[in-house]
């Protein structure tokens, strides 16, 4: 059995503990049974062209929530807690935060991803088209553009997260999840959280 999490940039696969990412134009035929979730219709079409029997797992996913329009990737990550309480932070092209309590989804917020901040700065002025220093000292006022960019990015993200997380346990996933987890003493990084939710849906 192979699981596929179809995102806006890559398709991520999971098979017996092995994880890999693939661009839609580089997909290869998979011989075993494939279950997928998707937030990108074009990439879904690319998968189904080479794996026509792949099954959409999203209709089987059920999460107690009053949230309207909750993305299937966020739902899967929340289900990955398997009934535990805490906050799920998926830090990818966007940073999503979802609060779970005893298996119920209480709500969540969406922020730009770290790379999206860089694109936003670049669109403002060529002078801001610099790699931000994300190792900047947050206890000191910046005195350079790279530090100022890094400070602005991190503080806008971290202050929002810390306000909503409070004393709760927080579970990070996504490409920037491991980096952000370092700012939270109660933070745990689990790069397989979405796949854990898919497995839970399948009863595995």
């Amino acid at each position: 059995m192979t699981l596929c999490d179809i995102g806006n940039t890559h398709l991520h696969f999971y098979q017996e503990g092995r994880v890999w990412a693939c661009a839609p134009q580089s997909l290869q035929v998979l011989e075993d049974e494939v279950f997928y979730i998707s937030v990108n219709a074009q990439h879904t079409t690319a998968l189904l062209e080479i794996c026509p029997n792949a099954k959409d797992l999203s209709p089987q996913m059920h999460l107690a929530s009053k949230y309207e329009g909750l993305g299937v990737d966020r739902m899967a990550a929340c289900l990955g807690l398997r009934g535990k309480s805490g906050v799920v932070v998926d830090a990818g092209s966007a940073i999503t935060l979802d609060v779970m309590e005893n298996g119920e989804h209480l709500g969540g917020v969406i922020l730009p991803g770290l790379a999206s901040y860089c694109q936003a700065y670049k669109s403002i002025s060529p002078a801001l088209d610099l790699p931000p220093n994300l190792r900047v000292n947050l206890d000191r006022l910046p005195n350079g553009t790279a530090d100022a960019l890094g400070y602005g990015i991190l503080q806008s993200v971290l202050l929002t997260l810390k306000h909503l997380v409070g004393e709760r346990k927080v579970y990070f996933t996504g490409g920037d999840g491991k980096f952000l987890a370092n700012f939270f003493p109660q933070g745990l990084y689990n790069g397989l959280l979405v796949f854990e939710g898919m497995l839970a849906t399948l009863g595995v």
Side-chain angles (χ1 to χ4, degrees), residues 79-106:
L79 290 170
L81 294 192
R82 295 182 183 259
K84 296 193 293 275
S85 297
V87 179
V88 175
V89 177
D90 190 344
S93 52
I95 299 171
T96 59
L97 179 150
D98 292 285
V99 180
M100 294 292 295
E101 189 171 294
N102 299 321
E104 181 180 356
H105 179 258
L106 301 185

Side-chain angles (χ1 to χ4, degrees), residues 3-7 9-15 18-28 195:
L3 305 181
C4 180
D5 172 20
I6 302 174
T9 305
H10 291 92
L11 293 84
H12 293 86
F13 293 89
Y14 172 93
Q15 184 185 68
R18 186 169 72 95
V19 177
W20 70 97
C22 190
Q25 64 271 21
S26 303
L27 291 170
Q28 297 181 354
F195 293 124

